[in-house]
C-alpha cells in the first residue's frame, strides 16, 4: 500500500481527538445558566432568580460530603446562598445602589435539574432600578450566562448576560447587535456544539464511513468527492431536521423527558452508531439513521436552550437563534472533517485506525458516558 500524504498527521489527529473526548466528564454537556425575572410593573419591583444547585454548590459548598444534596442541606444555608447571590448582582439607580429585601428560598425543577429560587423585593428608595450588573460565576466559569426577563408596562425584554456583557440599562433598547437575544442565542448554539462532545462525537461517527463504500464485506475508498459531499449533506440535513423538530417540541413543553434519561439515551446513540460502523446491523440508510437518532439529540439541545420564560414570539427568537448557532457549529465540523477524510480514504490507516479503531474507541467512550449518566457516577475525571 503506497504511503498517503498527511497519514502521520491524520494518525496524530485521531489519537488526540479520542484522548480529549475520553477525558470529558459526563456533565460537560450542559452549559451553566441562571434565570432572572425582574418585574418593574409593581409599586415595589420584584426579582426572581433561579440558580442551579450545582452552581450554588460551586459557589457556596452545600453538600455535606456524601455527594447528594437534600432540601435540609440547602435550607440550612439559605442565608449564605442569599449573601452569595447578592454579592454577584447589583441593581442601582443613577445615584445609589438598591437593596434586596425579604429574600425567600425555594426549590424548582428545570429540564436539567434542581434549582434554588430566590425571590426578593427591590428597594431603590421609592424609585425604579435603572441598571443591573451581573457577575455570577464570572470568575469561575466564563461560559456561564444569566437569562434576564424584564417586565415593564410597555411589555417584556429579554437579555442574555455574560462576562463579556455583564450589565443592562433599563429603558435603553439600543443594544449592540451582538448583544441582542437573537445573536446571543446564536453564540450559545455555537458554544454548545463546540462543548457538546457527545453531539460532536455522534456527528463524526456518522461521517466516518461516508468516504468509503462497502463491497463484499470490505470497505474501500470512494472515487467521487461531489457524490460524497452530497451524501454527507443528506446525513447532516436529516440530523438537523430531526433535532430541530424535537428541540421545538421540548422548548414549547409539548414533550418533557427526565434529563438523566435523555443524556443516557444520547450516550446510547453514540454507541449504536459506532457499533454500526464496525458491523452494519441496522437496515437503515445513513441519512435515515441520522434522523432516527437525531430525534433524541434534539431533546438534549433543549436542555441547553434553557427556560427563557419568554412568551411565544420571544421563545421563537431564542429557538431560531440557538438552532442556527448549532447548525453553524456543525458546518464547521463537516468542513474540517470531510476534506481530510477524503484525502486519506484509500489508506489502510483510515480504514483501520479511522473507521475500525476509531469506532471501537467511540463505542467505549459512549459506554462510559452511559454508565456515568445512568447511575450518576464519575468513572473518568481529569
Amino acid at each position: 500500500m503506497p504511503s498517503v500524504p498527511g497519514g502521520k498527521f491524520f494518525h496524530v489527529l485521531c489519537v488526540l481527538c479520542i484522548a480529549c473526548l475520553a477525558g470529558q466528564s459526563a456533565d460537560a454537556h450542559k452549559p451553566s445558566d441562571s434565570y432572572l425575572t425582574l418585574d418593574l410593573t409593581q409599586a415595589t419591583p420584584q426579582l426572581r432568580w433561579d440558580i442551579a444547585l450545582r452552581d450554588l454548590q460551586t459557589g457556596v459548598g452545600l453538600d455535606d460530603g456524601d455527594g447528594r444534596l437534600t432540601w435540609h442541606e440547602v435550607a440550612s444555608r439559605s442565608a449564605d446562598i442569599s449573601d452569595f447571590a447578592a454579592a454577584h448582582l447589583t441593581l442601582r439607580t443613577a445615584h445609589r445602589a438598591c437593596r434586596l429585601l425579604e429574600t425567600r428560598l425555594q426549590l424548582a425543577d428545570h429540564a436539567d435539574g434542581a434549582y434554588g429560587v430566590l425571590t426578593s423585593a427591590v428597594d431603590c428608595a421609592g424609585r425604579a432600578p435603572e441598571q443591573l450588573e451581573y457577575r455570577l460565576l464570572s470568575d469561575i466559569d466564563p461560559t456561564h450566562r444569566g437569562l434576564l426577563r424584564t417586565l415593564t408596562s410597555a411589555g417584556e425584554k429579554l437579555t442574555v448576560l455574560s462576562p463579556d456583557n455583564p450589565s443592562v440599562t433599563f429603558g435603553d433598547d439600543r443594544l449592540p447587535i451582538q448583544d441582542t437575544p437573537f445573536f446571543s442565542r446564536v453564540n450559545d448554539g455555537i458554544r454548545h456544539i463546540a462543548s457538546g462532545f457527545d453531539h460532536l462525537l455522534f456527528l463524526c461517527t456518522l461521517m466516518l464511513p461516508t468516504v468509503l463504500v462497502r463491497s463484499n464485506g470490505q470497505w474501500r475508498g470512494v472515487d467521487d468527492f461531489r457524490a460524497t459531499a452530497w451524501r454527507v449533506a443528506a446525513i447532516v440535513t436529516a440530523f438537523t431536521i430531526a433535532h430541530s423538530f424535537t428541540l421545538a417540541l421540548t422548548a414549547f413543553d409539548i414533550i418533557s423527558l427526565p434529563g438523566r434519561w435523555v443524556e443516557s439515551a444520547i450516550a446510547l446513540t453514540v454507541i449504536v452508531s459506532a457499533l454500526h460502523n464496525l458491523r452494519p446491523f441496522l437496515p437503515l440508510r445513513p441519512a435515515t439513521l441520522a434522523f432516527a437518532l437525531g430525534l433524541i439529540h434534539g431533546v438534549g439541545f433543549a436542555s441547553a436552550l434553557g427556560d427563557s420564560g419568554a412568551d411565544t414570539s420571544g421563545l421563537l427568537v431564542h429557538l431560531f437563534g440557538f438552532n442556527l448557532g448549532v447548525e453553524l457549529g456543525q458546518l464547521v465540523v463537516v468542513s474540517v472533517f470531510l476534506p481530510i477524510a477524503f484525502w486519506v480514504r484509500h489508506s489502510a490507516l483510515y480504514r483501520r485506525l479511522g473507521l475500525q479503531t476509531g469506532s471501537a474507541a467511540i463505542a467505549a467512550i459512549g459506554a462510559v458516558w452511559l454508565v456515568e449518566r445512568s447511575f450518576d457516577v464519575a468513572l473518568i475525571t481529569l
Side-chain angles (χ1 to χ4, degrees):
M1 174 67 66
S3 63
V4 177
K8 290 184 178 180
F9 167 75
F10 180 73
H11 185 180
V12 172
L13 182 64
C14 288
V15 171
L16 287 176
C17 288
I18 291 171
C20 290
L21 289 165
Q24 302 303 321
S25 64
D27 61 357
H29 172 260
K30 171 64 174 74
S32 172
D33 297 313
S34 79
Y35 308 98
L36 305 95
T37 300
L38 180 62
D39 187 352
L40 301 180
T41 64
Q42 307 294 321
T44 300
Q46 302 291 316
L47 174 70
R48 169 177 168 146
W49 191 359
D50 293 30
I51 307 174
L53 290 188
R54 60 180 178 274
D55 290 335
L56 290 175
Q57 168 65 17
T58 300
V60 180
L62 304 176
D63 184 32
D64 62 7
D66 63 1
R68 293 182 297 177
L69 278 178
T70 65
W71 167 243
H72 174 73
E73 290 173 327
V74 177
S76 66
R77 301 292 300 281
S78 61
D80 293 328
I81 292 172
S82 298
D83 291 343
F84 171 72
H88 293 85
L89 182 77
T90 301
L91 284 159
R92 61 181 306 112
T93 65
H95 305 290
R96 58 169 290 173
C98 305
R99 294 187 303 152
L100 301 181
L101 305 176
E102 305 171 8
T103 300
R104 298 178 297 277
L105 175 65
Q106 297 175 302
L107 289 182
D109 287 326
H110 288 238
D112 58 312
Y115 279 61
V117 180
L118 298 169
T119 55
S120 307
V122 181
D123 176 19
C124 297
R127 302 185 62 178
E130 299 176 20
Q131 186 180 54
L132 179 147
E133 184 178 352
Y134 181 89
R135 299 178 301 276
L136 185 68
L137 301 183
S138 59
D139 56 342
I140 300 174
D141 181 3
T143 68
H144 177 79
R145 299 292 184 268
L147 308 181
L148 171 65
R149 179 181 177 223
T150 308
L151 305 179
T152 68
S153 57
E156 68 176 50
K157 176 182 176 181
L158 300 171
T159 309
V160 180
L161 302 165
S162 68
D164 296 328
N165 180 44
S167 64
V168 58
T169 300
F170 306 118
D172 181 7
D173 296 325
R174 297 170 296 175
L175 282 174
I177 189 169
Q178 69 271 16
D179 294 334
T180 61
F182 174 76
F183 281 94
S184 294
R185 278 310 196 178
V186 171
N187 180 63
D188 286 344
I190 296 173
R191 177 170 58 98
H192 179 68
I193 200 66
S195 62
F197 299 101
D198 43 9
H199 298 302
L200 285 176
L201 205 55
F202 174 73
L203 185 61
C204 289
T205 306
L206 293 176
M207 291 191 295
L208 277 173
T210 57
V211 295
L212 303 172
V213 61
R214 193 170 179 85
S215 177
N216 298 322
Q218 300 293 323
W219 292 102
R220 62 177 178 82
V222 298
D223 298 320
D224 190 343
F225 180 81
R226 179 177 295 182
T228 303
W230 279 111
R231 189 179 304 115
V232 170
I235 291 172
V236 174
T237 300
F239 180 55
T240 296
I241 293 172
H243 73 62
S244 298
F245 178 66
T246 47
L247 170 60
L249 291 180
T250 308
F252 284 101
D253 290 327
I254 297 174
I255 61 174
S256 179
L257 297 173
R260 183 177 294 183
W261 292 11
V262 174
E263 297 304 314
S264 300
I266 288 173
L268 187 59
T269 67
V270 173
I271 298 171
V272 169
S273 58
L275 294 179
H276 185 69
N277 284 350
L278 293 172
R279 185 176 295 275
F281 63 93
L282 296 171
L284 299 174
R285 293 180 178 273
T288 306
L289 179 64
F291 180 85
L293 299 181
L295 292 170
I296 299 171
H297 285 251
V299 184
F301 283 137
S303 69
L305 177 64
D307 306 316
S308 67
D311 58 15
T312 300
S313 60
L315 183 56
L316 284 172
V317 170
H318 282 250
L319 184 63
F320 182 68
F322 182 83
N323 207 44
L324 178 59
V326 169
E327 306 320 319
L328 291 174
Q330 289 181 175
L331 181 61
V332 171
V333 173
V334 172
S335 299
V336 171
F337 177 89
L338 183 57
I340 296 175
F342 190 81
W343 187 24
V344 297
R345 69 196 183 283
H346 289 306
S347 68
L349 178 67
Y350 184 82
R351 294 194 300 273
R352 294 173 185 171
L353 179 65
L355 182 64
Q356 297 176 3
T357 304
S359 294
I362 290 169
I365 293 169
V368 171
W369 282 339
L370 179 60
V371 173
E372 287 186 328
R373 296 172 181 187
S374 298
F375 299 100
D376 196 21
V377 296
L379 299 181
I380 298 177
T381 56
L382 293 178

